[in-house]
């Protein structure tokens, strides 16, 4: 799907009122914040690479709302987007990240030793555990805006760096466009492969241009550590395994991520990071840690309770179906993960998931036995 008119210079012949999008039926963070005055003020600005306000908001104009989650409704095209368009993006970030102020500082903690417990989630209820994040490589445009050459350069850098990993992180890169049918089927069966983006949120922001050129997936031989290249972010790093040992998953995540960062630095490229936004990613919802620690967990009884949503909110957790953001739960199995990304460190977020899921499983066991869970109701975290 093309960008529409975002690079059309003739639109400046029309007034700001004539160009202002109709957001009357919209339910996303961008639509809540954008005003005609703000649009008039920002419409002529662009980042050094040429990303404009219309580029930032297009996905939120084309996608009024989402049935399960409040979407953000805007994306960044490069690292400078967050600075040039901060009049719009600061309030969106504050709204999406629970009052995170433009003056706030983000904290990073990728030391797995600081996680308490996490190796004790009950495998009879917790089917699998995973931690993922994104990383952007400084000096390149982000996926909504990058060129074919930039995308291929990122792919080559990634292959060079990942090729050096050894031990239990040793693995292989599969370019999407060179993949055999058997390889593709195997990766789909392993739930590894990202398919061509069909989500209108991704299509409207221009992330699917030139598909599958420059895209690929790397995974270690044990299939517990994956890197997606040039999907929604330059890099998506995922550590996962069956069962409930979140400590092991997080340990591998931190070790692998730290190694990848140093390998990129050796090649003269650092990741986009600043002390206010933490790690800078395409979608404002992923700023900070970019981290989503999640488990697939069986909660057939608890999920029928009216207060299930309130319990999750108090624990700062969110639920999805196990097929991803657009899916409903099947057989009482939910994907439960941290709701926050920014303002908390990686360790703090994984800790919330570990502690929260342990409590949810205790509640599920009580309900199975026909007992009350009133005394287990958590305070707001």
């Amino acid at each position: 799907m093309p960008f529409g008119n975002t690079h059309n210079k003739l639109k400046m012949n029309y007034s700001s009122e004539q160009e202002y999008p109709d957001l009357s039926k919209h339910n996303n963070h961008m639509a809540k914040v954008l005003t005609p005055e703000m649009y008039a003020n920002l419409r002529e600005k662009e980042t050094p690479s040429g990303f404009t306000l219309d580029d930032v908001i297009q996905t939120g104009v084309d996608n009024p709302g989402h049935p399960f989650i409040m979407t953000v409704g805007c994306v960044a095209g490069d690292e400078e987007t967050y600075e040039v368009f901060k009049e719009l993006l600061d309030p969106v970030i504050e709204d999406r990240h629970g009052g995170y102020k433009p003056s706030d500082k983000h904290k990073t903690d990728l030391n797995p030793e600081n996680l308490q417990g996490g190796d004790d989630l009950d495998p009879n209820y917790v089917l699998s555990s995973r931690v993922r994040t994104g990383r952007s490589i400084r000096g390149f445009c982000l996926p909504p805006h990058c060129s074919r050459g930039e995308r291929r350069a990122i792919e080559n850098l990634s292959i060079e760096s990942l090729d050096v990993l050894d031990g239990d992180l040793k693995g292989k890169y599969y370019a999407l466009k060179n993949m055999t049918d058997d390889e593709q089927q195997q990766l789909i069966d392993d739930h590894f492969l990202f398919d061509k983006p069909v989500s209108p949120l991704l299509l409207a922001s221009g992330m699917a241009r030139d598909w599958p050129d420059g895209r690929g997936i790397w995974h270690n031989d044990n299939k517990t550590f994956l890197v997606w290249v040039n999907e929604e972010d330059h890099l998506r790093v995922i550590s996962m395994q069956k069962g409930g040992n979140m400590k092991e998953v997080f340990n591998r995540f931190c070790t692998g991520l730290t190694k990848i960062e140093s390998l990129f630095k050796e090649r003269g490229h650092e990741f986009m990071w600043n002390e206010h936004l933490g790690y800078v990613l395409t979608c404002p919802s992923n700023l900070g840690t970019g981290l989503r620690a999640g488990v697939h967990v069986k909660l057939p009884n608890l999920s029928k309770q009216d207060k299930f949503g309130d319990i999750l909110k108090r624990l700062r957790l969110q639920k999805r179906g196990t097929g991803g953001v657009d899916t409903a739960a099947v057989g009482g199995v939910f994907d439960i993960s941290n709701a926050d990304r920014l303002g908390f460190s990686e360790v703090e977020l994984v800790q919330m998931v570990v502690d929260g899921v342990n409590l949810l499983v205790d509640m599920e066991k009580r309900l199975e036995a026909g007992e009350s869970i009133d005394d287990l109701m958590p305070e707001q975290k």
Side-chain angles (χ1 to χ4, degrees):
M1 181 187 274
F3 258 98
N5 78 335
T6 48
H7 297 105
N8 174 353
K9 297 291 185 202
L10 294 181
K11 65 187 174 188
M12 289 306 170
N13 296 340
Y14 294 86
S15 70
S16 182
E17 291 76 32
Q18 288 169 310
E19 286 289 340
Y20 188 71
D22 177 1
L23 301 173
S24 55
K25 294 188 168 62
H26 286 56
N27 171 39
N28 58 49
H29 288 294
M30 177 278 294
K32 272 175 73 177
V33 170
L34 190 69
T35 62
E37 298 74 31
M38 189 188 291
Y39 186 81
N41 190 28
L42 295 176
R43 68 186 280 235
E44 290 185 47
K45 293 189 174 180
E46 54 179 50
T47 66
S49 73
F51 206 65
T52 66
L53 177 63
D54 279 329
D55 294 332
V56 172
I57 67 173
Q58 192 66 52
T59 182
V61 175
D62 292 349
N63 298 286
H66 188 288
F68 293 118
I69 49 175
M70 172 93 164
T71 53
V72 175
C74 48
V75 292
D78 49 29
E79 190 167 8
E80 294 84 359
T81 301
Y82 288 105
E83 185 58 36
V84 174
F85 300 107
K86 66 181 183 185
E87 186 183 346
L88 168 67
L89 293 172
D90 279 355
V92 165
I93 289 165
E94 191 167 332
D95 208 19
R96 170 62 182 81
H97 293 284
Y100 192 80
K101 300 269 185 295
S103 55
D104 286 347
K105 302 266 193 285
H106 177 72
K107 47 191 168 182
T108 297
D109 181 0
L110 285 165
N111 181 355
E113 300 297 315
N114 294 336
L115 183 70
Q116 308 296 311
D119 50 0
D120 54 352
L121 298 177
D122 189 332
N124 295 318
Y125 294 84
V126 178
L127 310 179
S128 63
S129 309
R130 57 176 268 170
V131 181
R132 69 90 164 144
T133 190
R135 290 292 185 263
S136 309
I137 302 158
R138 188 159 272 158
F140 293 96
C141 290
L142 297 169
H145 192 49
C146 67
S147 71
R148 287 181 280 272
E150 283 184 294
R151 204 183 289 115
R152 290 167 186 164
I154 289 163
E155 182 184 36
N156 289 334
L157 258 175
S158 303
I159 294 169
E160 277 175 31
S161 302
L162 295 166
D163 212 33
V164 179
L165 293 175
D166 53 13
D168 67 342
L169 294 179
K170 184 180 179 313
K172 182 180 172 188
Y173 181 75
Y174 299 84
L176 248 57
K177 63 180 182 184
N178 301 335
M179 215 175 267
T180 66
D181 289 347
D182 287 349
E183 283 174 339
Q184 192 164 350
Q185 194 51 53
Q186 185 60 55
L187 289 170
I188 288 168
D189 293 344
D190 290 331
H191 303 291
F192 280 7
L193 197 61
F194 55 92
D195 204 354
K196 179 167 184 174
V198 289
S199 163
L201 302 174
L202 298 187
L203 291 175
S205 54
M207 293 188 214
R209 290 168 300 122
D210 313 309
W211 197 272
D213 194 320
R215 276 77 169 197
I217 176 174
W218 176 95
H219 67 74
N220 69 343
D221 298 339
N222 300 338
K223 299 186 174 178
T224 54
F225 191 69
L226 290 72
V227 181
W228 290 353
V229 178
N230 287 323
E231 195 226 13
E232 184 183 330
D233 291 299
H234 290 160
L235 303 174
R236 276 279 169 101
V237 179
I238 305 159
S239 174
M240 61 198 262
Q241 66 191 50
K242 295 265 184 276
N245 196 334
M246 182 58 92
K247 194 176 194 70
E248 218 167 77
V249 171
F250 187 55
N251 209 327
R252 186 188 314 112
F253 173 82
C254 295
T255 307
L257 198 52
T258 307
K259 281 186 182 167
I260 290 170
E261 181 153 16
S262 63
L263 288 166
F264 270 89
K265 275 189 179 150
E266 280 170 26
R267 283 158 184 74
H269 291 274
E270 55 187 4
F271 292 151
M272 294 183 194
W273 182 91
N274 65 60
E275 61 177 14
H276 168 51
L277 296 176
Y279 286 99
V280 173
L281 295 170
T282 300
C283 180
S285 68
N286 285 325
L287 289 165
T289 59
L291 182 136
R292 197 168 91 80
V295 297
H296 285 184
V297 56
K298 284 191 282 194
L299 302 168
N301 294 294
L302 183 58
S303 58
K304 292 194 188 85
Q305 300 278 318
D306 292 341
K307 49 194 168 190
F308 184 44
D310 183 44
I311 293 168
L312 291 176
K313 199 171 172 187
R314 291 183 184 200
L315 295 170
R316 302 190 82 102
L317 300 177
Q318 62 181 15
K319 68 178 189 312
R320 300 178 176 188
T322 51
V325 68
D326 293 319
T327 60
V330 181
V333 178
F334 288 86
D335 179 339
I336 302 286
S337 62
N338 51 296
D340 301 285
R341 304 277 182 274
L342 182 61
F344 296 89
S345 74
E346 289 80 358
V347 169
E348 286 172 330
L349 293 176
V350 176
Q351 194 70 59
M352 278 183 209
V353 173
V354 165
D355 297 345
V357 169
N358 270 327
L359 179 64
L360 296 175
V361 169
D362 286 346
M363 288 177 152
E364 180 64 25
K365 289 175 179 172
R366 285 265 190 107
L367 292 169
E368 259 174 41
E371 296 168 10
S372 164
I373 57 169
D374 291 347
D375 61 315
L376 292 181
M377 281 298 282
E379 296 295 318
Q380 179 63 52
K381 281 197 180 249

